[in-house]
Amino acid sequence: MLFTSYSFILFLAILFVLYYLVPRKVQWLLLLAANFVFYAFSGWDNVAFMLITILSIWLIGRHIGRMHKARDQYLAEHKADLDREQRKAYREAVKSRQLRWLLLSLFINLGILAVLKYTNFVIANINTVRGWFSAGELSFVSLALPMGISFYIFQSVGYMVDVYRGKYPPEDNILRLALFVSFFPQLVQGPISRFDDLSQTLFQEHPFDGRTVTYGLQRILWGFFKKLVIADRILAGVNTIIRDPERYTGIYVLVGMLFYAIQLYADFTGGIDITIGIAQTLGIKVKENFDRPYFSKSIAEFWRRWHITMGTWFRDYVFYPLSISRPMLKLAKKSRTRFGDAFGKRVTVYLSTLIVWFTTGLWHGASWNFIVWGLLNGVVIILSQELNPFYNWFHNRFSVRNNFFFRFFQIVRTLLLMSSLRILDCYRDVGISFRQFFSMFTTWNAGELFGGQLLNIGLSGADYLVLAFGVALMILVSLRQRRGSLRDALQERPAPLRYVLTIAAVIVVLVVGAYGIGYDSTQFIYNQF
Amino acid sequence: MKIQKSLVIILLIVLTVAILAFLQALLTPKFQTQLLEGGLIADYYQEKNKDHAVIFIGDCEVYEDFSPITLWEEYGITSYIRGSAQQLIWHSYYILEDTLRYETPDVVVFNILSMKYDEPQNEAYNRMALDAMPLSGTKLRAIKASMTEGEEWLSYIFPLLRYHSRWHELSSEDFEFLFRRNPVSHNGYLMRVDVKPVTGIPTPRPLPDYRFSDICYEYLDKITNLCRTNDIELILIKSPSIYPYWYDQWNQQMVDYAAENDLLYINTLQHLEEIGIDYNTDTYDAGLHMNLSGAEKMSVYFGRILAEEYALADRRGDASLAARWDEKAAAYYRQQDEQYLELETYGYLRAFRYQPD
């Protein structure tokens, strides 16, 4: 069920009415049922995989939780009998047993993800190697990736690690845990929520609150605008350029790159707006996933503001544990001896960074394009770290840090750099991606753009007009958001004005939106991850 | 205060609905000056006196090949053609079912060319057949039966969802006919006076299987039963188009079906001489459809069968009815003159530069 389909809107309307009609005590149960109805639309097999995840993290999480309790109880009872070393040894013994259970849960859940998502990628690579030795090819297996599996498994892994770390006690009620894992608005493309964040409002009773619901609906409308008016409209242009790399080189690669930047932003943030808006209409608070990322002045900053919940997930559950793992500490020691304190300290940080970006790339897709994309992100971040002394010298020499034009330059530079890396996201293999990238510097065909060629890439004059209006509006809204909530400001305005603006927005989405026959309306891009 | 607030909310809802209804009316195609086929179904609902002895259902082989005005003038038979471009058999069934909500004719004439299509062909033809039909259980069932892949039933209920993308191609026609429309046909007959003679007869391609599909027979049975239940005589007819080719095997199946169900089946391809069809003068597209001359010959021939074998009364003596039909005939001859003038002026008919069927 697509977020932008009529059936989803109908589903949402029915849920919304029932949600505020049923006794508040059972609202969360209704929501749980709705989650499974929504998910069942994607196939019963998918529901089975989700149930395995829920059951495994519930059972193992409770077991780890009981071990925490038993450990605390034992230590309290034997406070006088054990010295500090004995207490430490006991704690470590318990932790080691807990770790085994944690690893079992990770094996089950990441194992499901790995098998479903990466089996054919592994086979393809084996076949490449076998090809070098003229050996026969292995057959690919038919495995469908359940919708949103990366998102709910990452949430579940986060939950298990937090329970293992004792950040919060495990959830005893399997239905509540099931609600957390299966919360339907997040299944399509995140955000990746934390149990301690989401559970604060997920299981609560929610009386109808006009203002909250209105805010939620406004957010949904804004999401639809971005998805239908901008992302799905510009899609035709992006597809024309990237599907014919022989024809569209040079300046077209730049155009495709920028169009894709717009499409991806409008698609992903639009989807998240719809997700957060839906949750808000139900009284549930979901974490923000974006913070005006295209205003970032460096790649590192960009990644702090783009897909925030994924970034923090990798930071908390991959980067930190990896950085303080025994092999890394050993390596840090060795590298400090070999390269000196200043650089030696950074070696393990950089290695952890590269590993994190490798896994980030792999998470985005089972292909070398994404792996190279991830590693390049890591390399750019490391390079910019290494260039820090130069930046410091530059800023000491020229006081441009607060200059508007310099900041604008930094924003444009970051946007172009990010968009260049995303070329790997567009083309079918790494070789073509690099060839297309370099063609921007070797093929001089900018003149073609002034010969009306832009009207031959699947976009008409009317499309460009709509896109110009849509992108300008997105920029204006982003600029306005720096001064606080736009919806708060709107709420202060007279009711007739609010009504006119709302109706205007509905009409724009209904009339100008790229949906229905004649449009290649797509799933949200991040749904495939 | 509460009442005042409720009133404001109701007012806003009404205003919103009115705005959306206006947009829908504006963006929905009007079919008034181009693609006139799209307006045929709507014409029927605009017809004030739905009292016809004969109802035709089918595709272009009915709305191009029979003239109700000729049937009236020659035999005093009132008729209406509920045809639409590439009307498939399930369209025909539901259009008939819908027609029976308004009137019960003595005879229904079904053109059986659509027996050759067993699945939805094209969204545009669905739209031409169903968009103008008022909302009813019949319409909902018709939508369900007709949708092609990728279509959404809701967009038939709210056509704005289908036609929203026309915002940048709106023409003066969309504004001129926003709140009114003119009939595009003469009781469902779409007139064309131009001539394009037949220059060659296409060689039929052998088919792997000539049997009409089960789904087509299912709907043909439904049409037969619907007529039987309502005490209506059903006539199956094949028009004199020389292509799409009408295979002997297909013809035999219709002969058998008619015999089994005690129906009259007329394959006019076998009565060309009797009808007087001349493929040099009676077709506007080299044998696919009849022009005015061909349609009038067909009507004279078929009217005799209706009058003699089905004893349909000559109602020309009914003064008020005759007055209404005189008006229709006047419009018919007026358009005839206009089309001849257009042919003289431009060499072609401007409304038919695009051919959907």
Side-chain angles (χ1 to χ4, degrees), chain A residues 187-339:
Chain A
L187 283 178
V188 177
Q189 52 173 5
I192 303 167
S193 290
R194 307 290 177 93
F195 184 77
D196 48 341
D197 282 332
L198 193 61
S199 61
Q200 285 181 9
T201 53
L202 193 59
F203 311 129
Q204 279 176 357
E205 296 176 13
H206 299 288
F208 182 86
D209 177 57
R211 178 177 279 215
T212 310
V213 170
T214 306
Y215 273 32
L217 291 174
Q218 285 170 343
R219 188 83 189 250
I220 294 172
L221 192 56
W222 181 231
F224 273 116
F225 175 83
K226 288 200 260 187
K227 169 71 176 158
L228 295 176
V229 177
I230 302 171
D232 285 353
R233 183 172 296 277
I234 205 166
L235 174 73
V238 174
N239 280 345
T240 304
I241 290 172
I242 67 175
R243 285 180 184 168
D244 191 357
E246 299 298 326
R247 160 79 185 86
Y248 295 105
T249 55
I251 193 70
Y252 293 106
V253 180
L254 179 68
V255 170
M257 193 174 101
L258 295 176
F259 279 11
Y260 185 62
I262 294 169
Q263 187 209 345
L264 186 62
Y265 176 81
D267 183 279
F268 195 10
T269 62
I272 292 293
D273 285 331
I274 296 171
T275 296
I276 294 176
I278 291 169
Q280 198 166 12
T281 58
L282 303 171
I284 295 160
K285 199 164 167 23
V286 170
K287 277 218 157 187
E288 292 292 340
N289 213 25
F290 293 92
D291 180 19
R292 299 182 297 284
Y294 284 164
F295 289 118
S296 304
K297 294 190 279 295
S298 70
I299 293 279
E301 185 190 352
F302 175 87
W303 279 110
R304 286 195 296 274
R305 300 170 70 164
W306 173 279
H307 207 345
I308 297 167
T309 56
M310 184 203 68
T312 53
W313 191 97
F314 275 103
R315 183 195 66 199
D316 294 347
Y317 302 113
V318 182
F319 183 79
Y320 287 158
L322 194 64
S323 301
I324 56 165
S325 65
R326 235 174 259 162
M328 279 296 182
L329 292 176
K330 266 189 197 170
L331 181 68
K333 209 173 167 185
K334 272 188 190 167
S335 58
R336 269 206 297 268
T337 316
R338 184 149 171 77
F339 303 113

Side-chain angles (χ1 to χ4, degrees), chain A residues 11 23 47 52-53 58 77 87 92 94 97 100 108 110 178 186 265 280 312 339 348 388 393 428 443-444 458 507:
Chain A
F11 163 82
V47 176
I52 292 171
T53 295
W58 179 67
E77 283 169 4
R87 282 204 300 271
E92 277 181 6
V94 173
R97 288 203 304 277
R100 267 179 259 157
I108 295 170
L110 293 176
Q186 298 188 155
Y265 176 81
Q280 198 166 12
T312 53
F339 303 113
T348 51
N388 255 342
W393 169 84
R428 68 174 177 274
T443 308
W444 299 97
I507 288 172

Side-chain angles (χ1 to χ4, degrees), chain A residues 6 499 503 510-511 513 515, chain B residues 12 16 19 152 161 164-165 167:
Chain A
Y6 303 133
Y499 168 76
I503 287 299
L510 270 179
V511 175
Y515 63 91
Chain B
L12 290 180
T16 307
I19 292 170
E152 296 272 6
L161 299 173
H164 64 98
S165 56
W167 64 271

Side-chain angles (χ1 to χ4, degrees), chain A residues 5-7 233 460 462-463 465-466 499 503 506-507 509-517 519, chain B residues 12 15-16 19-20 23 27 123 148-155 160-162 164-165 167-168:
Chain A
S5 66
Y6 303 133
S7 46
R233 183 172 296 277
S460 65
D463 289 323
L465 199 67
V466 171
Y499 168 76
I503 287 299
V506 169
I507 288 172
V509 171
L510 270 179
V511 175
V512 186
Y515 63 91
I517 300 271
Y519 288 104
Chain B
L12 290 180
L15 189 59
T16 307
I19 292 170
L20 292 176
L23 281 171
L27 290 163
E123 188 249 357
T148 52
E149 203 184 329
E151 284 192 69
E152 296 272 6
W153 66 270
L154 198 64
S155 67
L160 173 64
L161 299 173
R162 168 63 184 88
H164 64 98
S165 56
W167 64 271
H168 57 92

